[in-house]
Amino acid sequence: MVNTQSLTASLFSQLQNGPALQQVSQQLGMDSSQASQAIGAALPLLMGGLANNASQPQGAQSLLNALQRDHLGGGGADTGGFDLGGLIGAVLGGGGASSPATNGLGILGHVFGGQTPQAASLLGQKTGLDSGRSGQLLAILAPIVMSFLAQRFAQQGNAGQLSQALGEENRQTGGGGIGDLLGGVLDQDGDGKFGVSDVLGLLGGKR
């Protein structure tokens, strides 16, 4: 049967099943329902950031290189599939910063650049979390998203396909309602590094 789920929906479904949701909720000090809602808001934001980075050929190739180098078969994910349990354990185990595959803060730096605090703040506005916990959630989820994408795309080695899939994903999810706010913040920043016009275009905003 053909899987018609979006990338975000597929990953969210996996995070909802098994011990992953409980582990994340315990790490953040909230109940499972709150954690589920927060994850549901955070995943489109991460996917949207990656989609923007991959909207240009050079960015797409750089992302693919990172997936192949650091996230295909590393950090708790085996080469036979997406090992969510092992990856969660590695990320939450305290040694994540020592490995590029599980260094959530390092990954966020590549996804959002200097705008990671703003992304955390905007997620907090969406979910009601304080910026500390929203930032922590993004750092937990970033390696999971990268490993998930690596299992889907890295073996094929096609940067164009990766870029197209992420762009379509961003159009489907609309950035979870956060992308427009993020685009506005980055537009005010004016450094041109995040490609605001591309984000707004993908989200159906102003040209």
Side-chain angles (χ1 to χ4, degrees), residues 6-8 43-45 47-52 54-56 160-177 179-180 197-205:
S6 71
L7 295 172
T8 301
L43 288 179
L45 178 57
M47 289 286 190
L50 289 167
N52 184 75
S55 64
Q56 300 297 324
Q161 185 179 36
L162 174 63
S163 175
Q164 182 178 5
L166 286 172
E168 179 60 29
E169 183 72 15
N170 205 27
R171 284 187 286 272
Q172 288 182 25
T173 64
D180 293 304
S197 60
D198 292 335
V199 173
L200 292 174
L202 287 172
L203 295 173

Side-chain angles (χ1 to χ4, degrees), residues 5 8-25 31-41 43 82 84 88 141 144:
Q5 278 189 314
T8 301
S10 178
L11 179 54
F12 182 70
S13 176
Q14 293 185 52
L15 286 165
Q16 293 289 92
N17 298 316
L21 180 61
Q22 182 179 2
Q23 288 175 285
V24 172
S25 64
D31 62 40
S32 295
S33 176
Q34 289 176 306
S36 177
Q37 293 177 354
I39 290 170
L43 288 179
F82 179 53
L84 178 58
I88 283 279
L141 293 177
I144 295 171

